[in-house]
Amino acid sequence: MLMNSFGQLFRLTTFGESHGEAVGGVVDGMPAGIPIDLDFIQQELNRRRPGQSNITTSRKEPDQVELLSGVFEGKSTGCPIGFIVRNQNQHSQDYNTLRDLYRPSHADYTYQQKYGIRDHRGGGRSSARITISRCVAGALAKLALRQLGISITAYTSQVGNIALDKDYNRYDLSLTEQNAVRCPDAEKAGEMIRLIEQVKAEGDTIGGIVTCVIKGCPAGLGEPEFGKLHAALGAAMLSINAAKGFEYGEGFDGVTQRGSEQNDVFCQKDGNTHTLSNHSGGIQGGISNGEDIYFRVAFKPVATLLREQNTVTVQGETTTFKAQGRHDPCVVPRAVPIVEAMAACVVFDLFLWDKSTKM
């Protein structure tokens, strides 16, 4: 299995399966001398872990991270940072009935066709549990970006047909963590939670959208041809489990407007060049322009339903099955920290790349 590494200079390589002994990874390219706040890294993992509330899977995992290398006396040494998070609450028996059939909209069939073998216990390598490694790497990237004054905040902006206004400036994003669905609007959050609870009671699932805002990013990150910043962000986001769409700036809504409405006019403010509007989402020509970068990621309804579905067996026979076990009725609340983590990895990687080309 190839393609288990992400990034160029700030590079993450992951390993592990959902029902294996552990998941983990190695981060290479972390500069020396960065203060490593283990409590902060654990906090980022806690935001992703299962069992947080009634609207997430009931699987109970401490998700305690162990740093194995690359840190000495509280600072990065410049050497590879190895880490591991042990699996402790697997219910592999819940998946025994899936050994010989393909679950609708899962990776069972495609893995079988590609490799000729698959781990049916929770999807193995295709499980969202593998995103643990991304959250650790993202936390490390955030610690580095903190030194540069760059912050990344994501939030749930839509669940089903319940949506916030698309202008993130209308909300106090510091309130995002105040509710289980991670929505900065308390009233809308309540509606989203009630919808997820209703869907869960019906044995069904529902999707939604995560919006992410990057502040403090300097102008000049990204390359003009095949290394565009928005292309790197899009690739990172679409690599997250259940992600189905990516747009930045005005995105698809912008096609209904004219150029005279969309153009971001330049101006001078406090002796620096800025734009009066930000329809471009902080990126022009594939390169950051110094304004806020914002984008949206759409997530599909979780494929595992706690209701009967039709499918076929490995032998090609028609059958039915009803999933067992503990599953998220909506992946969006737990996807929020993963979106932030991948954005942090992209931005810091491109920052290091930009710095290396100017030496």
Side-chain angles (χ1 to χ4, degrees):
M1 182 182 286
L2 303 175
M3 304 301 289
N4 293 297
S5 298
F6 177 82
Q8 301 175 88
L9 298 182
F10 183 82
R11 189 171 181 83
L12 166 68
T13 300
T14 73
F15 66 84
E17 295 85 32
S18 174
H19 286 240
E21 291 297 318
V23 296
V26 176
V27 171
D28 208 357
M30 185 71 169
I34 303 295
I36 302 300
D37 185 343
L38 186 58
D39 289 337
F40 173 75
I41 297 173
Q42 186 60 53
Q43 174 187 323
E44 293 295 276
L45 271 184
N46 293 346
R47 296 172 66 210
R48 191 225 70 94
R49 74 182 175 190
Q52 298 178 41
S53 70
N54 188 50
I55 62 171
T56 65
T57 172
S58 60
R59 179 172 177 171
K60 298 292 184 181
E61 289 279 5
D63 286 352
Q64 193 71 38
V65 63
E66 302 172 41
L67 299 185
L68 305 178
S69 63
V71 179
F72 181 67
E73 295 184 342
K75 293 185 178 180
S76 58
T77 64
C79 298
I81 299 179
F83 62 89
I84 192 171
V85 175
R86 302 182 188 278
N87 295 327
Q88 298 184 19
N89 190 230
Q90 312 98 309
H91 286 183
S92 299
Q93 67 276 8
D94 290 342
Y95 298 88
N96 288 340
T97 59
L98 306 180
R99 180 185 295 273
D100 296 317
L101 56 79
Y102 300 127
R103 294 170 296 170
S105 288
H106 282 78
D108 298 346
Y109 175 75
T110 52
Y111 266 54
Q112 189 75 43
Q113 294 305 301
K114 183 173 181 63
Y115 300 109
I117 187 173
R118 65 183 173 91
D119 185 346
H120 66 279
R121 304 167 303 167
R125 187 72 173 150
S126 69
S127 168
R129 186 155 179 75
I130 308 306
T131 58
I132 282 174
S133 300
R134 300 175 184 228
C135 286
V136 174
L140 291 168
K142 281 185 176 184
L143 289 172
L145 292 174
R146 181 186 293 177
Q147 310 299 308
L148 304 172
I150 300 173
S151 66
I152 299 173
T153 305
Y155 61 94
T156 298
S157 55
Q158 184 168 343
V159 172
N161 61 355
I162 302 171
L164 300 188
D165 185 279
K166 292 186 178 181
D167 183 0
Y168 64 89
N169 290 297
R170 292 188 57 186
Y171 303 98
D172 180 354
L173 302 188
S174 68
L175 301 177
T176 297
E177 295 293 322
Q178 298 301 307
N179 53 74
V181 79
R182 294 199 165 94
C183 172
D185 183 307
E187 183 176 346
K188 289 287 187 180
E191 294 179 28
M192 292 175 179
I193 290 171
R194 287 190 291 273
L195 176 58
I196 295 173
E197 289 174 338
Q198 175 190 338
V199 167
K200 179 181 179 181
E202 296 169 353
D204 215 332
T205 63
I206 196 163
I209 294 174
V210 172
T211 296
C212 186
V213 183
I214 305 173
K215 290 180 174 290
C217 186
L221 299 192
E223 299 298 322
E225 182 60 11
F226 297 115
K228 290 180 169 64
L229 172 54
H230 60 266
L233 285 170
M237 298 307 141
L238 293 173
S239 74
I240 301 173
N241 306 60
K244 301 296 284 188
F246 170 85
E247 64 176 5
Y248 72 101
E250 290 293 322
F252 290 103
D253 287 346
V255 304
T256 63
Q257 298 180 326
R258 300 192 178 189
S260 56
E261 299 173 288
Q262 277 280 300
N263 282 355
D264 293 318
V265 177
F266 289 104
C267 65
Q268 282 290 307
K269 183 179 180 181
D270 300 327
N272 297 310
T273 299
H274 289 277
T275 58
L276 289 175
S277 57
N278 191 17
H279 301 295
S280 301
I283 304 171
Q284 293 170 326
I287 301 171
S288 61
N289 66 4
E291 305 298 326
D292 290 349
I293 297 168
Y294 64 95
F295 59 86
R296 294 163 25 109
V297 188
F299 289 89
K300 71 174 184 176
V302 176
T304 300
L305 310 183
L306 299 182
R307 56 166 62 181
E308 192 170 87
Q309 297 182 82
N310 295 323
T311 189
V312 298
T313 66
V314 175
Q315 294 75 28
E317 301 170 344
T318 300
T319 186
T320 62
F321 87 106
K322 180 179 179 181
Q324 304 294 321
R326 304 156 296 174
H327 307 281
D328 287 286
C330 179
V331 74
V332 176
R334 293 176 63 210
V336 167
I338 303 168
V339 167
E340 288 183 5
M342 295 305 292
C345 288
V346 168
V347 171
F348 189 51
D349 187 35
L350 290 180
F351 173 83
L352 293 176
W353 181 263
D354 186 63
K355 185 178 178 180
S356 71
T357 62
K358 294 178 179 177
M359 295 177 65

